[in-house]
Amino acid sequence: MSVLIESKTKQNEFCINDVLERVTRAITAVSPLKDYVAVNPYGGLTQYDFLAARRFLRSVCDAESLMPLSYYRQQFAAGKLRRGSIEAALRELTLDRNVDVESVTGDAIVSLLTSDLAIDNLENTDRVFRTISQCIDRRSGSDWTRIICDEISKYCAAHYDQGQSTWRSPWQGGSLYQAWISIASIDRNIEILGLKRFRRYVAQLPQSPEAAIVFCLHRLGVPKRLWEGFLMCQAHSIPGWSAWTKYQTERAARSGDETSDLAALIAIRLCYGAALAEQMSFSIDWDSIKFADLSARSDAGDYDDDAVARYVLLRASEIAIREKLVGSIRAAAPSESSRSTQSLARIVFCIDVRSERIRRNIESVSSEIETSGFAGFFALPIEYVPIGQSSGDGQVPVLLQPQFQLQEGLRGADHPAEAALISRKRGVRSLRKAWKSFQSSAIGCFSFVETMGLFYGVPLIRRPLGIGAAPIDHRFDGVSPEQHDRLGPTLCGLGDQGITTARQIDMSESILRGIGLTDGFAKLVVFCGHGSKTQNNPLAAGLDCGACGGHTGESNARFAATLLNQPAIREGLAERGIVIPDATHFLSALHNTTTDDIEFFDLADLPAVSKADFEKLRTHTNAGSAMTLTERLPIMASKSVEGLMERTVDWSEVRPEWGLAGNAAFIVAPRSLTQSIDLDGRTFLHDYDHVKDPTGALLEQIVCAPMVVAHLINMQYYASTLDNEHFGSGTKTLHNVVGGFGIFSGNGGDLMTGLPWQSLHTGDHLQHEPVRLLAVIAAPRDAIDRVIEKHEKIKSLLMGGWLQLIAIDGTTPFRFTETGEWEPIE
């Protein structure tokens, strides 16, 4: 390192931290596979308006956030998009003033949609920055960008491995940057591929990633005004690993560690580019680059006509959905909710869009059953710890952190029985681990294949056909069949964590008031979580409950029912004005969203007087499940219910269910407002009655948590649909698990982070319609305004065009404009 460069490097190290903080803020973290939940890939840019964020993103990479015109041509030809919606979109965007639409007219847009000569303009004219390898590849036709990505992936996969590989990296315990320095200084692979003397280049790098970034920026001659954009470009050249290292950075911050893995990744990526530039004698005319960062808000007229036309068509598609939904709500006669006698049951489902179908069908089976919608973790901030373990998984939305541990136990068993079960469980798992080690060991792997290979051919043939025994559920390792139903959450150990009876009463009250259930209790109140059962699916957690951190809602539902069946809890609630009748019993259940089966738990605790009511309830829920399965047959392209059921055990099935594909709206209202409407499984339903919420505290919770989570889910489906290359995960048939925490498409390349194509497309057409979420809240506008003004992030989402909002105030619907005003909808 020259004396001059070393001096400049030290002089500017303090500047790079602010730049890296802004770059880090713009990247969205991705969770490991076991906790895989929806994220908004544009999440770091939502403080800016939608089109400004798109332009900035496209200045550093080729990612897209608007569908091509060809898609809207198909929608227009099919009658799903009409001239009236286009005209309405132009009018609203003119009123909102975030984009200048004077350059386009309804006639011009319709001409684009009907002209045979019009073609998609796929060129990225906004691109300002490219990595050094991308520039060289464009000039010479080389493949350095892919080679460098593969090299970085190789190092990251080894560093973050969670036990999948037999031989672990000896540098895994250190930081990512130091581990890479140690390996890259002796690894000849990149030099063999053509990057000469790279080990020598690595040897002269500074010892911290921040200093290395400054060192490389100076070697490349990048002026300070371009640092942010150029480093953002480095991060977006490997977006999957950037998202993963952002997750590691956030996790370290929660533990009080200031280490930034994302900064390390950017340093590593930049080092390859700087070394390549020196070898190729390649330079960039930095003075010719004109770049305005996001701190300067874009003017309404800063966008080309193509982008404006596509944005108008996006809004028109959303207006078409809005008109149909709001029209249905206004036309529907509110259902009668008052009852003179105690109803048979109330089932509390998660707000997940898949719950809408089964709620509607169960309600149609019997007028004795009511349903409610509530976030599926049931307001219980728990970390669920399986029996025999000291830690577990957080059963909370990504916006929250668990507040205490809930221990799994053998309900009704004494300590010796539980100890024996734990011993058996550990024994079974030790044997399985030993067998796995033998299969993959250097000595055993060859003899294993030679002697056992043919035997493994039998299940390979039988499993895709659904023939033979059901797949093993490792949760029940060492658990006898008669103990299965007794394994579940217990109240043991809560007191030791400060979860006193008073705190349990607080949680119970929060659950009931959140649901709006403070009187009129049914004979049976069922907390019904949801989960999905599939085979050979690395992204299975994405089909489970997002409100439970990518896990099933079973533990939360069972804990909620257990709490509310405790006499001491009921006495405490009665003192707070919530009197639960003695005849009311709380149950828990799980909705399997692949089969639509509803499984009930802890039936041994069911009082004798409630058994007849339960059998009646089970008959109705079975009928509702069957109706829901039949309704889903066409969208699953299945000829029979049996075929649909087989998807749960078929390890070759790429579409076991559609998950949340098709999600488009989030309704916060009394069930009476939507009960008579078929919402086609596209709507999140959260029960809310503003009359019971005079302070607006509950509305604030709903807007800031469930609505935001629904928005995250919606934007992940949106981004994965319109730009699967950057924000999705390609085809499932090429997925390979890496390190136990992520997936590759094939045997290398960047980490895949979004939804696979099979979760979005039928093979003939899109199953998910890419539109931004429409939130519909039945509440006074002034109450909603108070929440928006209090929370700047919510205000940014609404005024930046990331989320649409309708208020049903009395009988009139109003649209929240991007200027922060309310406009009545005709």
Side-chain angles (χ1 to χ4, degrees):
M1 184 191 304
S2 71
V3 175
L4 179 61
I5 291 179
E6 183 177 11
S7 174
K8 286 184 177 180
T9 301
K10 291 181 178 179
Q11 196 176 51
N12 290 288
E13 276 186 38
F14 74 95
C15 298
I16 200 64
N17 291 323
D18 288 340
V19 174
L20 285 172
E21 184 180 348
R22 292 195 295 272
V23 172
T24 299
R25 227 174 14 240
I27 302 297
T28 302
V30 65
S31 300
L33 292 178
K34 71 180 184 66
D35 304 315
Y36 185 78
V37 292
V39 295
N40 177 8
Y42 316 113
L45 305 175
T46 53
Q47 67 269 40
Y48 309 103
D49 68 80
F50 189 87
L51 281 183
R54 173 184 181 268
R55 190 177 63 175
F56 177 80
L57 190 62
R58 287 176 66 76
S59 72
V60 297
C61 67
D62 290 327
E64 182 55 276
S65 57
L66 290 173
M67 288 294 282
L69 282 171
S70 57
Y71 166 75
Y72 293 111
R73 288 192 194 100
Q74 295 170 2
Q75 296 292 97
F76 192 78
K80 296 180 180 179
L81 184 61
R82 299 181 181 276
R83 174 69 180 258
S85 298
I86 295 171
E87 296 288 358
L90 287 168
R91 186 191 65 79
E92 289 186 2
L93 289 171
T94 300
L95 182 65
D96 289 352
R97 299 197 297 271
N98 266 352
V99 58
D100 183 2
V101 296
E102 291 183 4
S103 59
V104 295
T105 64
D107 289 337
I109 292 178
V110 170
S111 178
L112 284 173
L113 297 177
T114 55
S115 172
D116 294 332
L117 299 178
I119 60 173
D120 286 320
N121 178 16
L122 300 179
E123 181 183 0
N124 182 4
T125 57
D126 293 325
R127 186 76 185 256
V128 176
F129 292 104
R130 286 183 171 82
T131 65
I132 298 298
S133 63
Q134 288 170 344
C135 292
I136 291 174
D137 288 346
R138 279 167 59 87
R139 186 180 69 174
S140 64
S142 56
D143 200 19
W144 279 113
T145 301
R146 182 194 61 79
I147 291 171
I148 291 171
C149 179
D150 285 347
E151 284 291 294
I152 293 174
S153 286
K154 175 180 69 177
Y155 294 128
C156 287
H159 184 73
Y160 293 114
D161 181 79
Q162 297 180 355
Q164 182 177 350
S165 62
T166 303
W167 292 284
R168 306 186 71 179
S169 167
W171 296 283
Q172 196 176 42
S175 70
L176 172 62
Y177 180 72
Q178 290 300 328
W180 175 77
I181 289 281
S182 300
I183 304 172
S185 61
I186 59 175
D187 187 353
R188 297 175 180 267
N189 188 63
I190 193 70
E191 294 183 356
I192 294 172
L193 293 172
L195 187 53
K196 306 301 182 185
R197 296 182 293 279
F198 185 68
R199 289 176 296 152
R200 185 182 304 175
Y201 190 91
V202 171
Q204 65 179 326
L205 291 172
Q207 292 303 301
S208 76
E210 293 81 8
I213 290 172
V214 175
F215 172 79
C216 292
L217 289 171
H218 281 305
R219 294 284 280 255
L220 291 168
V222 185
K224 286 183 183 179
R225 68 183 179 86
L226 300 179
W227 280 10
E228 180 179 350
F230 190 59
L231 295 183
M232 187 76 76
C233 177
Q234 310 302 311
H236 279 281
S237 69
I238 39 175
W241 286 116
S242 294
W244 175 252
T245 51
K246 170 68 177 290
Y247 169 79
Q248 297 295 326
T249 299
E250 290 182 344
R251 191 174 70 162
R254 288 194 293 269
S255 303
D257 189 348
E258 296 183 358
T259 300
S260 174
D261 283 23
L262 179 55
L265 181 74
I266 292 172
I268 293 167
R269 181 64 182 85
L270 193 58
C271 287
Y272 282 102
L276 186 63
E278 293 192 13
Q279 175 172 303
M280 301 290 187
S281 300
F282 180 82
S283 62
I284 294 175
D285 180 9
W286 301 107
D287 291 335
S288 67
I289 296 178
K290 306 299 181 184
F291 177 67
D293 65 28
L294 281 176
S295 61
R297 187 175 178 88
S298 302
D299 292 329
D302 282 351
Y303 309 106
D304 61 75
D305 288 351
D306 177 74
V308 172
R310 291 156 64 194
Y311 190 62
V312 170
L313 289 166
L314 169 62
R315 176 65 72 88
S317 298
E318 294 163 345
I319 288 173
I321 292 172
R322 185 185 75 200
E323 288 177 341
K324 180 179 179 181
L325 178 61
V326 175
S328 297
I329 291 175
R330 297 184 74 175
S335 60
E336 182 59 49
S337 58
S338 61
R339 290 176 178 272
S340 58
T341 59
Q342 189 177 27
S343 60
L344 172 66
R346 176 181 291 273
I347 309 177
V348 185
F349 285 91
C350 182
I351 62 175
D352 189 285
V353 297
R354 291 166 291 183
S355 299
E356 186 272 327
R357 293 183 193 275
I358 197 163
R359 285 182 65 180
R360 170 167 38 84
N361 284 315
I362 289 176
E363 288 169 343
S364 71
V365 169
S366 172
S367 60
E368 294 184 282
I369 299 178
E370 303 167 294
T371 71
S372 297
F374 189 61
F377 77 116
F378 300 114
L380 295 170
I382 62 174
E383 174 189 335
Y384 189 57
V385 182
I387 189 169
Q389 296 181 202
S390 58
S391 63
D393 297 317
Q395 295 280 141
V396 293
V398 291
L399 303 176
L400 304 176
Q401 292 295 318
Q403 295 180 14
F404 61 94
Q405 290 186 330
L406 180 65
Q407 301 289 333
E408 183 180 56
L410 195 60
R411 296 161 72 104
D414 54 18
H415 180 72
E418 281 199 351
L421 174 58
I422 293 171
S423 178
R424 291 196 304 273
K425 181 181 284 286
R426 289 174 177 170
V428 171
R429 293 187 173 174
S430 295
L431 287 173
R432 184 183 296 112
K433 185 176 180 180
W435 181 243
K436 182 67 176 178
S437 297
F438 171 72
Q439 288 177 289
S440 57
S441 67
I443 298 175
C445 62
F446 297 105
S447 58
F448 173 81
V449 172
E450 291 292 333
T451 57
M452 301 295 292
L454 291 176
F455 292 98
Y456 273 71
V458 176
L460 284 174
I461 295 173
R462 296 172 66 180
R463 288 177 67 184
L465 300 175
I467 301 173
I472 298 173
D473 187 344
H474 295 304
R475 175 190 169 192
F476 295 115
D477 285 343
V479 183
S480 63
E482 59 271 13
Q483 292 177 326
H484 282 198
D485 293 339
R486 296 169 56 197
L487 193 67
T490 67
L491 301 181
C492 298
L494 293 183
D496 297 336
Q497 302 176 70
I499 311 301
T500 61
T501 300
R503 178 81 183 277
Q504 292 174 41
I505 294 170
D506 290 339
M507 289 190 291
S508 301
E509 182 181 11
S510 177
I511 295 170
L512 295 177
R513 293 198 185 279
I515 299 169
L517 183 59
T518 55
D519 54 24
F521 289 89
K523 297 176 182 177
L524 296 171
V525 178
V526 184
F527 294 105
C528 187
H530 67 93
S532 178
K533 291 185 180 179
T534 60
Q535 295 297 311
N536 192 34
N537 184 5
L539 298 174
L543 296 177
D544 282 335
C545 182
C548 296
H551 310 105
T552 77
E554 177 185 336
S555 57
N556 299 68
R558 295 176 76 175
F559 183 42
T562 299
L563 279 179
L564 286 160
N565 281 327
Q566 302 299 311
I569 302 297
R570 293 194 179 197
E571 290 174 7
L573 289 172
E575 292 174 0
R576 302 182 185 190
I578 303 176
V579 179
I580 302 173
D582 292 338
T584 294
H585 183 76
F586 290 85
L587 275 172
S588 57
L590 189 73
H591 171 210
N592 182 342
T593 53
T594 315
T595 65
D596 281 311
D597 176 56
I598 294 181
E599 178 184 4
F600 293 90
F601 301 104
D602 306 319
L603 297 180
D605 300 331
L606 191 68
V609 295
S610 301
K611 289 184 177 178
D613 292 329
F614 171 71
E615 291 303 325
K616 196 174 181 181
L617 170 64
R618 179 146 59 181
T619 299
H620 294 326
T621 56
N622 286 345
S625 294
M627 292 170 64
T628 307
L629 273 176
T630 303
E631 184 178 316
R632 286 175 54 218
L633 286 179
I635 66 169
M636 293 304 300
S638 182
K639 296 179 180 179
S640 66
V641 170
E642 291 74 17
L644 200 58
M645 301 291 280
E646 288 173 1
R647 293 171 185 260
T648 62
V649 295
D650 186 351
W651 72 315
S652 66
E653 177 58 62
V654 293
R655 295 184 182 91
E657 61 158 291
W658 281 118
L660 294 101
N663 72 83
F666 175 79
I667 298 179
V668 183
R671 177 56 172 158
S672 59
L673 201 67
T674 59
Q675 192 165 9
S676 61
I677 306 171
D678 181 351
L679 295 169
D680 197 28
R682 302 189 64 187
T683 305
F684 300 91
L685 289 176
H686 198 303
D687 280 49
Y688 173 72
D689 186 349
H690 71 86
V691 175
K692 296 182 178 180
D693 183 34
T695 66
L698 181 55
L699 177 64
E700 182 178 2
Q701 292 176 18
I702 295 171
V703 167
C704 295
M707 188 183 80
V708 172
V709 171
H711 156 72
L712 298 178
I713 293 168
N714 171 264
M715 290 309 298
Q716 184 184 55
Y717 274 83
Y718 178 93
S720 295
T721 300
L722 67 89
D723 191 354
N724 201 261
E725 180 181 351
H726 286 91
F727 302 123
S729 58
T731 174
K732 283 185 176 181
T733 57
L734 297 179
H735 284 179
N736 280 310
V737 174
V738 54
F741 62 86
I743 56 173
F744 281 155
S745 181
N747 62 354
D750 195 19
L751 198 70
M752 299 286 101
T753 59
L755 296 162
W757 194 235
Q758 287 86 351
S759 294
L760 307 162
H761 200 280
T762 66
D764 296 320
H765 61 270
L766 284 173
Q767 180 65 23
H768 181 74
E769 183 178 358
V771 291
R772 295 165 296 184
L773 188 72
L774 171 65
V776 180
I777 302 178
R781 283 166 289 158
D782 59 348
I784 300 173
D785 279 335
R786 285 194 293 271
V787 175
I788 294 172
E789 288 302 319
K790 186 176 179 180
H791 297 277
E792 189 61 36
K793 289 185 178 180
I794 302 298
K795 190 174 184 179
S796 294
L797 290 176
L798 293 169
M799 297 185 68
W802 298 94
L803 178 67
Q804 316 295 309
L805 174 62
I806 298 294
I808 298 181
D809 192 349
T811 59
T812 305
F814 293 84
R815 178 179 76 92
F816 187 83
T817 71
E818 291 174 21
T819 59
E821 300 170 344
W822 292 99
E823 179 195 21
I825 297 176
E826 297 299 332

